[in-house]
Amino acid sequence: MNILFICSRNKWRSATAETMYKNHAEHQVRSAGTEPSARIKISAKLITWADLIFVMEKKHKQRIMERFPEECNGKDMIILDIPDDYQYMDEELIEEINAKTGEYL
Protein backbone atom coordinates (compact mmCIF):
# COMPACT_ATOMS: atom_id res chain seq x y z
CA MET A 1 0.00 0.00 0.00
CA ASN A 2 1.21 3.52 -0.85
CA ILE A 3 0.81 5.91 2.08
CA LEU A 4 1.17 9.70 1.95
CA PHE A 5 1.58 11.91 5.03
CA ILE A 6 0.72 15.61 4.71
CA CYS A 7 1.38 18.62 6.93
CA SER A 8 2.03 22.29 6.18
CA ARG A 9 5.76 22.60 5.45
CA ASN A 10 6.83 18.93 5.36
CA LYS A 11 9.56 19.62 7.88
CA TRP A 12 8.43 18.10 11.18
CA ARG A 13 5.17 16.17 11.37
CA SER A 14 4.84 14.51 7.98
CA ALA A 15 8.62 14.11 7.65
CA THR A 16 8.67 12.34 11.03
CA ALA A 17 5.86 10.01 9.95
CA GLU A 18 7.67 9.22 6.69
CA THR A 19 10.88 8.42 8.59
CA MET A 20 8.97 6.23 11.07
CA TYR A 21 7.37 4.06 8.36
CA LYS A 22 9.87 4.23 5.49
CA ASN A 23 11.27 0.73 6.12
CA HIS A 24 7.88 -0.93 6.64
CA ALA A 25 7.65 -4.24 4.80
CA GLU A 26 4.08 -3.75 3.53
CA HIS A 27 3.97 -0.03 2.76
CA GLN A 28 5.65 2.53 0.54
CA VAL A 29 5.64 5.90 2.32
CA ARG A 30 6.10 9.49 1.18
CA SER A 31 5.36 12.89 2.68
CA ALA A 32 4.62 16.41 1.46
CA GLY A 33 3.34 19.80 2.57
CA THR A 34 0.54 22.11 1.50
CA GLU A 35 2.41 25.41 1.85
CA PRO A 36 4.45 27.09 -0.92
CA SER A 37 7.45 26.90 1.44
CA ALA A 38 7.12 23.11 1.90
CA ARG A 39 10.23 20.98 1.56
CA ILE A 40 8.29 18.70 -0.81
CA LYS A 41 5.07 20.25 -2.14
CA ILE A 42 1.87 18.26 -2.52
CA SER A 43 1.17 17.44 -6.17
CA ALA A 44 -1.43 15.68 -8.28
CA LYS A 45 1.15 12.97 -8.95
CA LEU A 46 1.64 12.25 -5.22
CA ILE A 47 -2.11 12.12 -4.59
CA THR A 48 -2.62 9.76 -7.52
CA TRP A 49 0.22 7.55 -6.23
CA ALA A 50 -1.27 7.27 -2.72
CA ASP A 51 -3.70 4.55 -1.67
CA LEU A 52 -4.16 6.18 1.74
CA ILE A 53 -3.52 9.79 2.75
CA PHE A 54 -2.97 10.95 6.33
CA VAL A 55 -3.26 14.69 6.96
CA MET A 56 -2.18 16.27 10.23
CA GLU A 57 -5.01 18.83 10.40
CA LYS A 58 -8.46 19.40 8.89
CA LYS A 59 -7.14 22.44 6.97
CA HIS A 60 -4.70 20.19 5.08
CA LYS A 61 -7.54 17.99 3.82
CA GLN A 62 -9.53 21.07 2.78
CA ARG A 63 -6.57 22.57 0.87
CA ILE A 64 -5.84 19.31 -0.94
CA MET A 65 -9.48 18.77 -1.91
CA GLU A 66 -9.76 22.35 -3.20
CA ARG A 67 -6.57 22.15 -5.27
CA PHE A 68 -6.88 18.56 -6.52
CA PRO A 69 -10.59 17.61 -6.61
CA GLU A 70 -10.20 15.08 -9.43
CA GLU A 71 -7.24 13.28 -7.86
CA CYS A 72 -8.96 13.14 -4.44
CA ASN A 73 -12.05 11.45 -5.82
CA GLY A 74 -12.38 8.08 -4.08
CA LYS A 75 -9.25 8.54 -1.94
CA ASP A 76 -9.23 7.69 1.75
CA MET A 77 -8.02 10.79 3.60
CA ILE A 78 -7.64 10.45 7.37
CA ILE A 79 -7.32 13.53 9.62
CA LEU A 80 -4.89 12.71 12.45
CA ASP A 81 -5.57 15.97 14.34
CA ILE A 82 -1.93 16.51 15.32
CA PRO A 83 -1.11 20.19 15.94
CA ASP A 84 2.09 21.88 14.77
CA ASP A 85 3.63 21.75 18.24
CA TYR A 86 6.55 19.39 17.65
CA GLN A 87 10.05 19.22 16.21
CA TYR A 88 11.26 16.54 13.80
CA MET A 89 11.36 13.08 15.47
CA ASP A 90 10.07 14.49 18.80
CA GLU A 91 9.30 11.56 21.11
CA GLU A 92 5.75 12.79 21.86
CA LEU A 93 5.10 13.29 18.14
CA ILE A 94 6.21 9.72 17.39
CA GLU A 95 3.89 8.40 20.11
CA GLU A 96 0.97 10.44 18.77
CA ILE A 97 1.53 9.32 15.16
CA ASN A 98 1.78 5.67 16.28
CA ALA A 99 -1.41 5.94 18.32
CA LYS A 100 -3.44 7.62 15.59
CA THR A 101 -2.24 5.56 12.61
CA GLY A 102 -2.15 2.19 14.37
CA GLU A 103 -5.64 1.06 13.45
CA TYR A 104 -4.99 1.79 9.75
CA LEU A 105 -1.48 0.36 9.52
Side-chain angles (χ1 to χ4, degrees), residues 4-11 14 30-47 64 67-68:
L4 181 60
F5 288 96
I6 305 290
C7 68
S8 296
R9 293 183 313 276
N10 187 228
K11 292 184 179 172
S14 61
R30 296 184 182 163
S31 65
T34 58
E35 295 295 318
S37 61
R39 188 176 59 91
I40 297 170
K41 293 173 192 57
I42 188 64
S43 67
K45 185 177 178 181
L46 279 172
I47 294 168
I64 293 166
R67 288 176 53 199
F68 305 102

Side-chain angles (χ1 to χ4, degrees), residues 47-93:
I47 294 168
T48 302
W49 169 86
D51 297 311
L52 178 60
I53 301 170
F54 288 107
V55 297
M56 298 297 159
E57 298 174 62
K58 186 177 181 180
K59 68 180 180 183
H60 300 129
K61 180 176 180 176
Q62 291 168 331
R63 288 176 187 160
I64 293 166
M65 292 180 79
E66 286 170 9
R67 288 176 53 199
F68 305 102
E70 298 273 321
E71 292 82 1
C72 290
N73 197 16
K75 293 284 179 180
D76 285 327
M77 207 175 307
I78 312 301
I79 301 167
L80 297 177
D81 199 28
I82 298 176
D84 194 7
D85 296 340
Y86 304 98
Q87 297 290 314
Y88 177 70
M89 296 304 286
D90 184 299
E91 203 169 302
E92 283 182 42
L93 175 58

